Amino acid sequence: MEYVGLADCNNFFVSCERVFRPDLWNKPVVVLSSNDGAIVARSEEVKKLGVPMGVPYFKVRDVFEKNQVAVFSSNYELYRDMSNRVMEVLAEELGEIEQYSVDESFFRMDVKDIAVAEQELFWLRETVRKQVGIPMSFGLAPTKTIAKYASEKEKRGSGVCLMTKEEWLKQADQVLLSELWGVGGAMSQKFRAQGLSSVKDLLSADPSRIERLYGVYGKKLLAEVSGDQSRSQSIHDDLPKSIMSTRGFSKTTTDFSVLAEALAYHVSKAAEELREKKGVAGKVSALILTNRHSDWVLRGGGKEAILPQATNDTRLLLKEVLRLAKEVYEPGVPYKKAGVVLGFIKPDSVGQVSLFGEDAMENERLMEAIDGLNKKIGPDSVTIGRAKLKSGWSNRHDHRSPRYTTSWNELPRVS
DNA sequence: TCTGGGGTCCTAGGACCC
DNA sequence: TCTGGGGTCCTAGGACCC
């Protein structure tokens, strides 16, 4: 029988830091968001201190000092690189995987013997730990939602949980809807209002009532928790629907040239990813936003444009983004964040190039050369326009670890 | 003083047409 | 005094995820 699996890295950002700081295993560690604003990853020890995900750093700084918590600014370059290494090992052993986030992938597995399947996953878990150094959890079940639940369940145990439909249904009255993937605060409140709190409640309700009350959402959730694998959605997506790059500034700015510089950076980042995924974008939006905790919340915003011809050319995209941003920009408004979203993404099909003629061929070669150099020398070594991170708007990262794996100057030292 | 960034999917409601 | 209603398309925004 075919099962769906979820492979999940434990406390991923924290684990990445620990790989290069083995002294921190079993010690409390956190990773902060960009600008050192909020907590985005916590080790088990920090979770036990009762520090929730997403709290602003300044609110818990005292607790951290008292408990000698090791604090890291986020080092996304390192995490992306470690993620690629993990995913490579998984793909090698499992075949096709569907990467769901930086630290999770779904996969399929044909299970004939449950014990054998479990052994395989234990072995895979150990392989990743040896080759990359990251601890993982695996869940295997008839549907994605159940697989996710299974992987969570064994996170602090053996790290592998295979859950059959029978086992799932047997414990359905113990599983709260609010614990499920895809059920957040708003939805669990709505469920409670209708007297539905456990998976069993949902399964014993009249399906037509669920669909009437909760629409498409209810229908999908019902299919997922019923454990009927034939109704679980397909596991593979090729291209993302959109690619975005946005970031807040450490200080607000009213200066359009500073915004333009930030937008140039975001366009080059997003376009690089687009090219890496072999896609072209048919829609582009520019965002310039104000501080959402200030009186300027309602000012600023975004504007989007459909492109006459889908492209992944940084220069064409940038021209459009700057035009859009100028339309949104108002002098005197303090902007806190800028970003770019690429949409209507389609595969960069063969033959499309000829539509543009010689110029496009030139551009394509240029883009390839830039991406190649950046991969070789280090990210952002070569940029277009003024796309480098500069002090005027770039982020704060007082506690960033070295870029051990992606920057020649920051390799780990062995002594 | 300081509150992430990158995604997906769905729905309500406005604009427009007949 | 009367001031439709049904379709379609688009966008903003909500909810959720990591």
Side-chain angles (χ1 to χ4, degrees):
Chain A
M1 187 170 127
E2 185 155 85
Y3 274 72
V4 180
L6 178 69
D8 190 357
C9 300
N10 298 345
N11 313 324
F12 183 57
F13 295 173
V14 166
S15 298
C16 289
E17 298 294 347
R18 280 170 164 172
V19 168
F20 298 93
R21 288 286 306 278
D23 56 305
L24 295 176
W25 291 104
N26 304 314
K27 299 255 170 58
V29 180
V30 291
V31 176
L32 306 177
S33 64
S34 69
N35 287 321
D36 290 350
I39 314 300
V40 291
R42 305 156 297 156
S43 69
E44 291 305 324
E45 297 77 14
V46 173
K47 289 177 190 170
K48 273 192 196 128
L49 289 174
V51 175
M53 182 76 170
V55 284
Y57 177 40
F58 72 91
K59 282 193 179 169
V60 284
R61 195 175 300 199
D62 291 350
V63 186
F64 286 176
E65 268 165 31
K66 209 176 296 164
N67 293 279
Q68 301 185 1
V69 175
V71 176
F72 290 90
S73 300
S74 45
N75 186 343
Y76 293 111
E77 240 171 77
L78 174 68
Y79 310 149
R80 241 194 314 276
D81 188 63
M82 295 298 280
S83 166
N84 291 339
R85 290 167 196 237
V86 170
M87 297 308 161
E88 256 171 53
V89 177
L90 294 179
E92 203 166 298
E93 302 303 328
L94 297 165
E96 195 178 31
I97 59 172
E98 178 200 345
Q99 193 169 343
Y100 172 71
S101 71
V102 69
D103 66 330
E104 285 168 297
S105 272
F106 287 103
F107 58 92
R108 289 205 182 283
M109 204 168 175
D110 197 29
V111 176
K112 293 189 181 74
D113 182 321
I114 287 176
V116 171
E118 262 175 341
Q119 276 315 306
E120 266 179 59
L121 292 180
F122 276 122
W123 179 84
L124 182 54
R125 182 172 185 269
E126 195 50 27
T127 304
V128 173
R129 201 194 56 74
K130 270 191 209 139
Q131 292 188 8
V132 193
I134 302 286
M136 301 194 72
S137 310
F138 289 84
L140 198 59
T143 67
K144 287 183 173 180
T145 304
I146 305 174
K148 179 87 177 165
Y149 179 83
S151 83
E152 291 288 326
K153 196 182 156 182
E154 270 304 321
K155 208 154 235 184
R156 268 155 233 93
S158 70
V160 173
C161 177
L162 193 159
M163 193 171 293
T164 62
K165 183 174 171 180
E166 293 67 40
E167 279 174 278
W168 170 250
L169 294 178
K170 211 186 295 170
Q171 64 186 76
D173 57 328
Q174 307 293 320
V175 182
L176 296 177
L177 291 172
S178 58
E179 294 177 88
L180 296 182
W181 185 43
V183 182
M187 284 318 296
S188 50
Q189 219 176 326
K190 270 179 126 177
F191 283 132
R192 255 200 318 273
Q194 294 292 326
L196 303 168
S197 72
S198 72
V199 166
K200 192 182 176 192
D201 295 338
L202 189 67
L203 288 172
S204 16
D206 174 9
S208 65
R209 174 174 159 237
I210 299 302
E211 206 179 325
R212 185 160 29 85
L213 285 169
Y214 308 107
V216 176
Y217 174 87
K219 197 176 173 179
K220 283 188 176 172
L221 185 66
L222 201 50
E224 280 286 311
V225 301
S226 74
D228 182 351
Q229 112 240 12
S230 63
R231 279 187 285 178
S232 191
Q233 322 97 306
S234 89
I235 134 162
H236 210 77
D237 290 325
D238 315 291
L239 285 169
K241 300 269 195 297
S242 66
I243 292 174
M244 73 170 93
S245 176
T246 66
R247 196 170 303 161
F249 311 146
S250 42
K251 275 188 214 134
T252 59
T253 183
T254 54
D255 186 347
F256 187 80
S257 68
V258 173
L259 295 174
E261 202 174 301
L263 290 167
Y265 170 80
H266 291 302
V267 170
S268 74
K269 278 290 169 196
E272 193 181 318
E273 192 184 336
L274 183 61
R275 292 193 292 270
E276 196 195 312
K277 298 196 164 149
K278 308 262 179 270
V280 287
K283 188 171 82 171
V284 61
S285 359
L287 293 111
I288 50 176
L289 305 168
T290 50
N291 188 341
R292 64 176 195 265
H293 306 288
S294 79
D295 295 341
W296 298 95
V297 234
L298 299 175
R299 309 300 280 277
K303 205 162 172 67
E304 61 182 43
I306 309 293
L307 300 168
Q309 177 79 56
T311 181
N312 58 22
D313 186 315
T314 302
R315 289 175 301 179
L316 295 177
L317 292 166
L318 179 56
K319 210 172 122 194
E320 198 62 23
V321 161
L322 291 180
R323 186 181 68 75
L324 292 167
K326 263 179 216 145
E327 289 180 29
V328 180
Y329 175 75
E330 291 175 274
V333 172
Y335 293 98
K336 179 72 173 137
K337 184 173 179 170
V340 166
V341 186
L342 306 180
F344 290 166
I345 292 174
K346 294 180 303 188
D348 182 5
S349 48
V350 204
Q352 192 149 27
V353 169
S354 61
L355 293 173
F356 294 91
E358 285 297 302
D359 277 357
M361 298 287 280
E362 284 297 305
N363 283 350
E364 188 154 305
R365 273 199 288 271
L366 176 63
M367 297 300 140
E368 266 170 29
I370 291 171
D371 293 347
L373 283 169
N374 282 336
K375 217 163 232 166
K376 213 181 252 171
I377 316 174
D380 306 327
S381 302
V382 184
T383 56
I384 289 180
R386 294 161 301 167
K388 260 190 180 32
L389 274 147
K390 277 213 199 136
S391 54
W393 63 276
S394 72
N395 47 341
R396 182 164 51 211
H397 40 67
D398 297 339
H399 312 276
R400 201 184 73 188
S401 54
R403 290 170 289 188
Y404 302 106
T405 61
T406 55
S407 182
W408 286 112
N409 304 325
E410 301 177 21
L411 291 176
R413 280 164 212 284
V414 181
S415 45

